[in-house]
Amino acid sequence: MAAQRQHQGYEDEKLQRVMERLPCRDVQASLLLALMGEPEQCSYPSIFIYGHRATGKSHVIHTLLKELELPYATVSCVECVSVGLLFEQVLLSLFGSDSASLLSRSPSLSDFVRVYKQLCVQASSKQTRYIVLDRAELLRDMEANLLPAFLRLQELVEDNVTVILLSEIVWDKFRPNTGCFEPLLLYFPDYSKGELQQILSEDSHPSYSPELYSAFINILLGVFYSVCRDLRELRHLAALNFSKFVEPLEQGKVKEGDTHKLWRNIEPHLKKAMQTVYLREVSSVQWEQQLQKEEKEAGAVRGLSAHAHVELPYYSKFLLIAAYLASYNPARTDKRFFLKHHGKIKKTNFLKKHEKTSNHLLGPKPFPLDRLLAIFYSVVDSRVAPTASVFCQISSLVTLQLLNQVGHDDQLDAPKYKCAVSLDFILAISRTVSFDMVKYLYDFL
Amino acid sequence: MTSSVSKGCFVFKPSVKKRRKTPTVEDYFTHGSEDTENSKLRFRNCQTLWDQMKADTELLQDELNRKILDSLLAFIRKNVSTFQRGTDDWASRMRAHEIPTAALVLGVNVPDHDMTFQSLSDQLQQSVTPFVVSVQATECAGQSCVCVCVSASGTPGKKRTSVGKDMQQHPPIVVIFKDLEAFNPRVLQDFILICSRYVEQLPLMFVFGIATSPSTIQHMLPHSVSSLLGIELFQSLSCTQHLASIIDKVILTYQFPFKPSGKVLQVLVSIFLYHDFSVRNFIKGLQLALLEHFHSQPLSVLCCKKEEALVHATELSPRDVERLQQLPSFMRYVEEQGPQEQVELLTSDDHVKEVCQKLLKDLHKYHKNYYPILRCLHVLTASLPKYPLGKQIRELHICCLEKNVWENEEYASAMQLLRMMAKDELTSALQKCAEILKHGKTLLEMKKSRRTKKMSHFEILRDQALEFIDSLVRSHLAPPESQPLYEVCYYSSSAVLRRHLNATPRTSIQTALSNPYHYLKNENLRAEDGTVSNAAPDICIVYKLHLECGRLINLYDWLEAYATVVSAAEGKDPDSADFGKVDELKHARFIQAVSELEFLGFIKSTKQKTDHVSRLTWGGC
């Protein structure tokens, strides 16, 4: 490989091994190696790597750093509920187990910089140190000075250190208002279909020929490539369905070369897998069990979304119906729907220009509690005393996420709500109390 | 961050003399009653009965939960064995590691779930793993809280970082999310992401308690997160079925002498169906009814097991005998007797006690017959189209409690429908009846023998069987009011119960404001209907005056009116110069009253018009 000769300072053998472990990522890996330079050369302060899920970002970085035996620390920001944890982990991996004790209990950024400097002097090394921050987008939610500081950490600690940020989001979404040091941007593109085929084929089953497995992967990609390009997910699906694929071979019905028959056998299962196990409607274990006993009864396990029905107390149903009406009908039209002698008002008469679009397309609108109760009392067919339990039910509906409270939680007077259920859901609910929902909806007038 | 507040704490040790005995529940029960012995006895009755009912319901609930708990435990055990077996074969190496997750759908009434979760975590701790953690959304507002909660309760005395090393060969860690819907989705996602990083080393498992429907999981978690979970669904018994079995066990039984009347039962059931779906609240309501019955009805000493009741009947005090004689049902009984008997019943205490024993026996016998026949009738009518006598047995029960069921139109139509029923359906229903009645040991032999004959004369037989059922209904399903001494066992003050269970804050406030006498019981405040005495508290006067206004209220006019009323209350001469004059004190009192009214939500300030406030309620005088 021509590219490799440029990376001096590393053993050729190691480089060879690294490159073998990074299929279809040669370009990115050599670019990174070029950026890193020789181990003792001063490196660029910060590198920002982005790309979709499972495009090999962490894999490439970790393989490089690990195989080339460079000093590095890797931290997943999702674990760092406090900045202290993040600092602690960085120091632990760079300077060994005693280092973190130098940090105070809830360290600030300057504490970290001070301790880092102190430790650097003790354990001076000319090699570039690397700090890898995975899921770096979460840094934005932490203290405001953290991200800019990490970007120019090299200057702050006066050490040969490079910070590598990994994220699924583009850099434009990171840049603080106040400006900051611009890191080098490196994009990891999605794997193409051919690349996926190549990578997945490498996992071939020990008891079968690689060609057979490759053929299986080909079929799998044919079904799933249009919806899923996530390598991990595809590998998982391949593992789940391979046993079904080789079933005719095991039974001796088909020979290995007869790919057409094998395809005929597996294709319907893969299609079904797309609707169930891929969406996690059923768990993988359930899916495997189902594959085994399937001949007897297909579709025995019902998915999660098949159980959409919710049982609610009688008044809760009406409260939800009232909330739905309040969310999707303009307030002006309440008179038309809930007054006995509203006269003949046609839709066109009070149609305002901006209301021509369907309210259902615009989504639910917030409404005050008073309006909800007014509609509730007019739709419920019996006299309801305004007892505490009616109000309790409203807050229960909020906890169940069927209603959302808009604005602050501590609003005592005139709280506002939004209805958070779909039309299908409310139609099902209204059917159980024999309430003609459509008759009351402005959009369906 | 933290403001320093120094707090002083001073301890005064109470002197021994001053320390008083804290009253027990029994003291509360007997407080204010003239006949302490009697009420002590009633209290004991009440307690034994309640203890028994409680034990029975708990047993029943355990049984109902058992099925779902067993399948959950099986799921967790299966996953434990997968963890322990290790994963060496090709497929499991290739597969993504999912966190085994049980989605437990429990129905919308969240407080009822506590018991289920409690027994789940108890059973897990006993038989599977010591590391069971239950977390609630209220404890977990932020990411750190979840971690802290989980690690604090999961591994007592250890730091989170050390958990990983300790657990490798150890039982799994089960995290129970009691109320999934209430969790902040962001927090949950992050927690799952963190957990999934360690799932290869740590045997983690989740249980999601879901109140609505399992699709909530998909609403809360994006695919990238839900793909980390292997979710299996577990659905519990619906709460209406749960209620039905509780009613069956506690109310439709001869075992417990205490009976709620039709109205009371209706109140309890409608709270359940209309408001909360909470079986726990239903049982609490029943407990309240029980307590009220024993507290308010002195003759409830007789409401206990038959043998004890007969003993108690002989020990009735003269005052109790008098009460007995005044019972409407007893008076009705007396009227039906011959003149000689009537005199004796009204004069001789001993004779009354004797008759009382006989009547108690009759009452017990009535109950013994009532329930089997009720079940029979239900079995026969429950499968009829449109359910003329109700789908649930409780509906039929309430119907029978209220009046003679055979006088209902629905009963007649049900009988009509039964005559039209297909042969095999009718026989199977009758067979079920026969089974129920076998336990009750009533006169059934006659009917059974007839039914076993060949179906050649099916029509004759059918009419005879139905006539027989009809006669059973007529003789045994009479409403309890027809039974002498029914007041001893039946609690019928549904209004009291409703007032206690259905709090109406708004109505109470309005009553307090418009009729202060209702709560204060001060004779000065007694006023004609609809008026407020001018000696009433300021807020009542202000409230009354504001009812006379439209949507906007002029504050100055309001103040003037208030001053006039208050001056009259002070007894000033209406013709004097300073009558109705606003002085500082009146002004201050007025402002206070108005702001109280604002606090209660009757008015609020408005920018529509200067010096005006707007009313938030409508109506008035």
Side-chain angles (χ1 to χ4, degrees):
Chain A
M1 285 193 196
Q4 269 178 39
R5 242 158 276 128
Q6 299 160 11
H7 313 308
Q8 285 164 16
Y10 303 103
E11 293 165 30
D12 273 354
E13 202 182 312
K14 274 190 190 168
L15 283 175
Q16 188 79 37
R17 205 163 57 227
V18 168
M19 286 309 179
E20 268 168 25
R21 296 198 44 196
L22 301 174
C24 312
R25 280 290 170 250
D26 312 319
V27 182
Q28 285 79 15
S30 7
L31 188 58
L32 266 173
L33 275 171
L35 283 173
M36 284 152 64
E38 288 175 34
E40 292 177 11
Q41 281 173 344
C42 198
S43 167
Y44 198 77
S46 47
I47 302 172
F48 181 83
I49 300 178
Y50 67 105
H52 278 151
R53 243 180 128 224
T55 45
K57 301 180 296 290
S58 321
H59 181 63
V60 168
I61 286 289
H62 287 157
T63 316
L64 278 177
L65 295 173
K66 203 170 167 200
E67 292 294 326
L68 300 176
E69 288 162 15
L70 298 166
Y72 74 101
T74 168
V75 183
S76 169
C77 293
V78 74
E79 279 183 20
C80 300
V81 286
S82 70
V83 207
L85 274 174
L86 190 131
F87 296 152
E88 199 182 296
Q89 288 196 32
V90 170
L91 292 178
L92 274 176
S93 359
L94 286 182
F95 300 105
S97 51
D98 311 331
S99 51
S101 57
L102 293 169
L103 278 176
S104 56
R105 229 180 124 62
S106 54
S108 68
L109 184 68
S110 54
D111 286 336
F112 170 69
V113 171
R114 181 176 51 78
V115 174
Y116 190 102
K117 271 182 173 168
Q118 198 180 327
L119 289 166
C120 257
V121 176
Q122 287 167 14
S124 66
S125 140
K126 283 178 186 159
Q127 280 195 336
T128 315
R129 293 191 175 94
Y130 294 92
I131 299 175
V132 183
L133 299 176
D134 204 350
R135 290 183 58 100
E137 64 271 14
L138 292 169
L139 285 178
R140 298 177 300 174
D141 305 332
M142 296 187 199
E143 278 148 51
N145 61 0
L146 200 64
L147 181 64
F150 267 117
L151 289 172
R152 53 200 326 160
L153 192 68
Q154 201 174 67
E155 269 174 66
L156 285 171
V157 298
E158 292 162 347
D159 181 39
N160 185 6
V161 60
T162 295
V163 176
I164 300 173
L165 304 170
L166 304 180
S167 177
E168 292 174 21
I169 308 179
V170 292
W171 169 248
D172 291 338
K173 304 274 175 198
F174 277 72
R175 201 176 283 123
N177 294 334
T178 45
C180 65
F181 183 83
E182 290 284 317
L184 281 176
L185 305 186
L186 185 55
Y187 176 56
F188 275 52
D190 285 354
Y191 292 113
S192 69
K193 196 171 177 180
E195 285 170 337
L196 283 173
Q197 167 92 36
Q198 186 191 336
I199 298 169
L200 285 170
S201 301
E202 282 178 18
D203 309 323
S204 76
H205 197 286
S207 2
Y208 299 92
S209 71
E211 289 77 29
L212 179 77
Y213 193 76
S214 180
F216 169 64
I217 292 297
N218 197 10
I219 295 170
L220 184 86
L221 283 177
V223 174
F224 280 99
Y225 186 70
S226 54
V227 291
C228 172
R229 296 174 188 196
D230 184 333
L231 185 62
R232 281 177 42 199
E233 204 54 14
L234 286 169
R235 185 179 280 152
H236 178 68
L237 289 165
L240 284 186
N241 294 300
F242 187 63
S243 62
K244 190 75 192 172
F245 178 70
V246 295
E247 200 179 78
L249 289 177
E250 298 278 294
Q251 293 165 351
K253 284 184 194 159
V254 183
K255 280 190 196 123
E256 223 185 279
D258 197 351
T259 37
H260 185 68
K261 270 196 180 153
L262 286 172
W263 175 78
R264 286 255 304 274
N265 171 49
I266 191 69
E267 214 229 349
H269 294 288
L270 292 181
K271 287 225 162 116
K272 206 163 134 208
M274 189 150 77
Q275 287 155 14
T276 55
V277 69
Y278 169 63
L279 296 173
R280 295 309 193 271
E281 287 270 308
V282 300
S283 78
S284 307
V285 182
Q286 279 176 322
W287 171 250
E288 283 177 329
Q289 281 167 355
Q290 210 181 335
L291 278 186
Q292 280 162 15
K293 61 180 176 188
E294 187 187 18
E295 308 307 329
K296 282 172 270 170
E297 40 173 339
V301 181
R302 290 208 297 160
L304 293 183
S305 51
H307 303 263
H309 174 68
V310 179
E311 269 187 78
L312 287 172
Y314 190 71
Y315 289 148
S316 293
K317 285 179 184 171
F318 273 107
L319 280 169
L320 204 58
I321 288 173
Y324 193 87
L325 292 174
S327 255
Y328 287 98
N329 280 349
R332 291 179 306 108
T333 61
D334 285 353
K335 222 179 181 175
R336 153 79 176 74
F337 290 116
F338 305 113
L339 232 56
K340 270 201 182 119
H341 307 288
H342 55 76
K344 280 205 171 175
I345 312 171
K346 279 187 189 159
K347 188 173 181 179
T348 42
N349 287 359
F350 51 74
L351 198 73
K352 278 189 183 165
K353 225 179 193 174
H354 65 273
E355 280 170 1
K356 272 187 184 146
T357 37
S358 154
N359 289 305
H360 278 85
L361 289 179
L362 295 171
K365 293 192 180 60
F367 53 86
L369 179 65
D370 294 347
R371 191 170 161 227
L372 171 70
L373 288 176
I375 297 180
F376 170 69
Y377 286 121
S378 97
V379 293
V380 78
D381 49 5
S382 54
R383 271 186 58 116
V384 188
T387 58
S389 43
V390 169
F391 293 97
C392 275
Q393 286 179 60
I394 297 176
S395 40
S396 302
L397 289 173
V398 172
T399 353
L400 296 177
Q401 309 248 300
L402 300 173
L403 291 187
N404 288 342
Q405 191 160 11
V406 185
H408 299 294
D409 294 335
D410 55 4
Q411 242 178 346
L412 263 184
D413 49 275
K416 285 190 169 180
Y417 302 93
K418 257 185 194 181
C419 187
V421 299
S422 65
L423 180 63
D424 287 339
F425 186 94
I426 205 72
L427 285 178
I429 291 274
S430 59
R431 222 171 290 130
T432 60
V433 290
S434 36
F435 176 81
D436 189 1
M437 191 75 195
V438 173
K439 225 173 79 190
Y440 285 89
L441 276 171
Y442 180 69
D443 278 353
F444 299 105
L445 214 58
Chain B
M1 283 264 283
T2 50
S3 56
S4 78
V5 176
S6 60
K7 279 184 193 161
C9 182
F10 305 96
V11 180
F12 294 100
K13 216 174 172 190
S15 63
V16 187
K17 274 182 212 160
K18 267 189 182 172
R19 202 182 288 160
R20 288 182 54 210
K21 204 182 102 200
T22 46
T24 59
V25 187
E26 188 172 350
D27 294 337
Y28 280 114
F29 192 89
T30 53
H31 177 75
S33 92
E34 65 244 53
D35 190 352
T36 330
E37 265 322 299
N38 174 303
S39 52
K40 271 186 183 161
L41 199 58
R42 273 186 281 149
F43 178 69
R44 274 200 299 281
N45 269 354
C46 173
Q47 275 216 312
T48 33
L49 194 55
W50 171 241
D51 287 345
Q52 216 174 0
M53 282 168 109
K54 200 174 150 206
D56 271 23
T57 49
E58 276 170 7
L59 205 68
L60 180 70
Q61 279 172 314
D62 272 355
E63 236 164 70
L64 293 176
N65 276 331
R66 184 160 305 141
K67 206 175 139 209
I68 189 164
L69 285 186
D70 282 351
S71 53
L72 251 178
L73 284 176
F75 167 76
I76 289 172
R77 286 209 188 93
K78 191 179 73 191
N79 281 299
V80 172
S81 60
T82 325
F83 275 130
Q84 282 168 351
R85 227 186 303 126
T87 46
D88 284 332
D89 61 322
W90 173 85
S92 44
R93 234 181 322 121
M94 285 303 130
R95 275 172 53 170
H97 289 272
E98 292 173 329
I99 305 174
T101 304
L104 185 57
V105 183
L106 291 168
V108 289
N109 181 57
V110 181
D112 268 9
H113 302 172
D114 274 353
M115 221 179 73
T116 317
F117 283 122
Q118 193 54 48
S119 50
L120 173 66
S121 68
D122 285 349
Q123 289 196 22
L124 280 175
Q125 266 166 346
Q126 275 168 22
S127 61
V128 184
T129 166
F131 306 111
V132 181
V133 195
S134 299
V135 285
Q136 260 176 328
T138 42
E139 298 162 348
C140 308
Q143 183 59 54
S144 53
C145 308
V146 187
C147 295
V148 170
C149 282
V150 170
S151 59
S153 33
T155 57
K158 281 179 202 154
K159 263 189 153 183
R160 195 167 72 94
T161 43
S162 66
V163 179
K165 293 164 207 153
D166 293 343
M167 290 305 138
Q168 296 227 327
Q169 295 304 318
H170 281 72
I173 303 166
V174 182
V175 185
I176 302 174
F177 296 86
K178 282 187 176 175
D179 40 356
L180 187 77
E181 282 90 352
F183 273 89
N184 180 348
R186 186 62 199 281
V187 169
L188 200 65
Q189 285 168 28
D190 284 354
F191 184 71
I192 294 171
L193 281 174
I194 295 176
C195 287
S196 75
R197 283 169 58 90
Y198 297 99
V199 72
E200 285 170 49
Q201 294 108 48
L202 266 182
L204 275 163
M205 267 178 233
F206 294 154
V207 176
F208 288 164
I210 297 172
T212 50
S213 73
S215 45
T216 327
I217 301 178
Q218 286 154 341
H219 293 159
M220 287 181 80
L221 305 174
H223 183 250
S224 62
V225 178
S226 63
S227 66
L228 302 170
L229 304 174
I231 304 167
E232 270 182 48
L233 192 63
F234 297 87
Q235 208 140 17
S236 76
L237 202 65
S238 85
C239 51
T240 38
Q241 281 169 292
H242 198 154
L243 179 78
S245 44
I246 292 279
I247 289 184
D248 200 65
K249 185 92 179 174
V250 181
I251 292 173
L252 301 179
T253 171
Y254 163 72
Q255 196 190 350
F256 300 115
F258 168 75
K259 315 277 173 203
S261 77
K263 285 236 172 59
V264 168
L265 197 57
Q266 199 113 53
V267 167
L268 292 174
V269 169
S270 65
I271 289 177
F272 177 87
L273 290 178
Y274 287 163
H275 290 296
D276 58 9
F277 266 3
S278 166
V279 175
R280 199 172 70 165
N281 282 357
F282 179 83
I283 296 172
K284 290 263 174 226
L286 199 63
Q287 187 187 8
L288 180 70
L290 181 83
L291 200 64
E292 273 289 327
H293 176 65
F294 280 98
H295 187 64
S296 60
Q297 172 60 271
L299 287 173
S300 58
V301 274
L302 300 175
C303 179
C304 49
K305 289 239 170 336
K306 190 169 143 193
E307 299 74 34
E308 289 172 51
L310 294 179
V311 176
H312 290 162
T314 59
E315 292 162 355
L316 285 177
S317 68
R319 176 84 187 84
D320 287 332
V321 172
E322 207 177 296
R323 284 195 186 107
L324 196 78
Q325 285 165 331
Q326 283 162 0
L327 285 181
S329 68
F330 190 78
M331 277 151 78
R332 235 176 288 140
Y333 172 77
V334 172
E335 275 164 28
E336 288 162 11
Q337 307 304 314
Q340 181 61 32
E341 180 73 7
Q342 281 190 359
V343 173
E344 280 215 39
L345 281 174
L346 292 176
T347 49
S348 157
D349 279 11
D350 289 333
H351 186 68
V352 169
K353 284 179 192 173
E354 246 167 63
V355 171
C356 170
Q357 290 187 32
K358 177 186 154 286
L359 292 178
L360 281 174
K361 276 184 203 159
D362 286 350
L363 190 62
H364 279 263
K365 202 163 145 201
Y366 162 75
H367 284 142
K368 231 173 195 167
N369 290 326
Y370 177 90
Y371 293 106
I373 305 295
L374 181 76
R375 278 171 211 277
C376 270
L377 187 59
H378 178 66
V379 163
L380 284 171
T381 56
S383 53
L384 293 178
K386 287 196 184 169
Y387 312 105
L389 287 174
K391 200 173 171 182
Q392 305 271 355
I393 190 166
R394 60 162 188 266
E395 295 167 58
L396 183 62
H397 177 57
I398 290 173
C399 180
C400 292
L401 288 180
E402 257 150 28
K403 62 180 203 184
N404 290 337
V405 65
W406 57 88
E407 284 166 9
N408 275 349
E409 258 174 56
E410 289 84 7
Y411 179 80
S413 70
M415 280 299 161
Q416 202 68 46
L417 285 167
L418 278 175
R419 289 213 169 83
M420 291 188 276
M421 220 171 177
K423 191 164 86 181
D424 44 350
E425 276 180 59
L426 187 65
T427 1
S428 75
L430 282 173
Q431 219 129 33
K432 277 187 214 158
C433 289
E435 242 151 68
I436 295 168
L437 291 178
K438 228 184 270 170
H439 295 295
K441 283 183 204 154
T442 348
L443 331 133
L444 189 76
E445 298 72 36
M446 150 177 118
K447 195 197 68 170
K448 267 187 82 180
S449 63
R450 279 189 198 167
R451 221 182 28 69
T452 45
K453 279 184 203 162
K454 281 282 158 251
M455 284 300 173
S456 51
H457 341 286
F458 171 68
E459 292 193 351
I460 305 165
L461 270 176
R462 181 192 60 196
D463 287 355
Q464 278 173 343
L466 289 178
E467 250 162 54
F468 177 69
I469 294 283
D470 188 50
S471 71
L472 281 179
V473 167
R474 281 168 199 267
S475 55
H476 295 301
L477 284 190
E481 273 90 8
S482 62
Q483 307 297 317
L485 294 191
Y486 82 96
E487 290 96 336
V488 166
C489 293
Y490 283 81
Y491 176 71
S492 52
S493 320
S494 58
V496 174
L497 203 64
R498 184 179 289 132
R499 207 174 57 233
H500 281 302
L501 295 177
N502 259 350
T504 52
R506 168 99 183 260
T507 327
S508 312
I509 290 174
Q510 272 173 339
T511 316
L513 291 175
S514 55
N515 181 14
Y517 176 77
H518 184 86
Y519 289 109
L520 296 177
K521 303 281 183 222
N522 182 335
E523 284 307 319
N524 288 338
L525 300 178
R526 202 185 262 283
E528 292 301 306
D529 220 25
T531 60
V532 168
S533 138
N534 46 21
D538 291 337
I539 186 169
C540 300
I541 296 170
V542 168
Y543 173 76
K544 179 72 189 157
L545 291 170
H546 112 289
L547 287 181
E548 291 161 15
C549 299
R551 211 178 63 78
L552 290 176
I553 307 170
N554 185 326
L555 274 173
Y556 190 74
D557 293 348
W558 201 3
L559 172 63
E560 297 255 274
Y562 168 77
T564 317
V565 174
V566 174
S567 299
E570 285 164 352
K572 283 199 178 135
D573 178 14
D575 299 327
S576 72
D578 62 345
F579 182 83
K581 210 181 140 223
V582 181
D583 57 23
E584 277 177 5
L585 186 67
K586 277 185 202 133
H587 195 179
R589 280 166 60 184
F590 173 74
I591 289 173
Q592 171 143 26
V594 168
S595 51
E596 279 169 358
L597 220 50
E598 187 177 2
F599 178 69
L600 291 176
F602 285 95
I603 54 165
K604 73 172 185 184
S605 59
T606 176
K607 282 174 184 159
Q608 286 178 13
K609 216 169 172 185
T610 45
D611 296 336
H612 281 66
V613 289
S614 68
R615 266 185 77 177
L616 294 174
T617 54
W618 57 90
C621 10

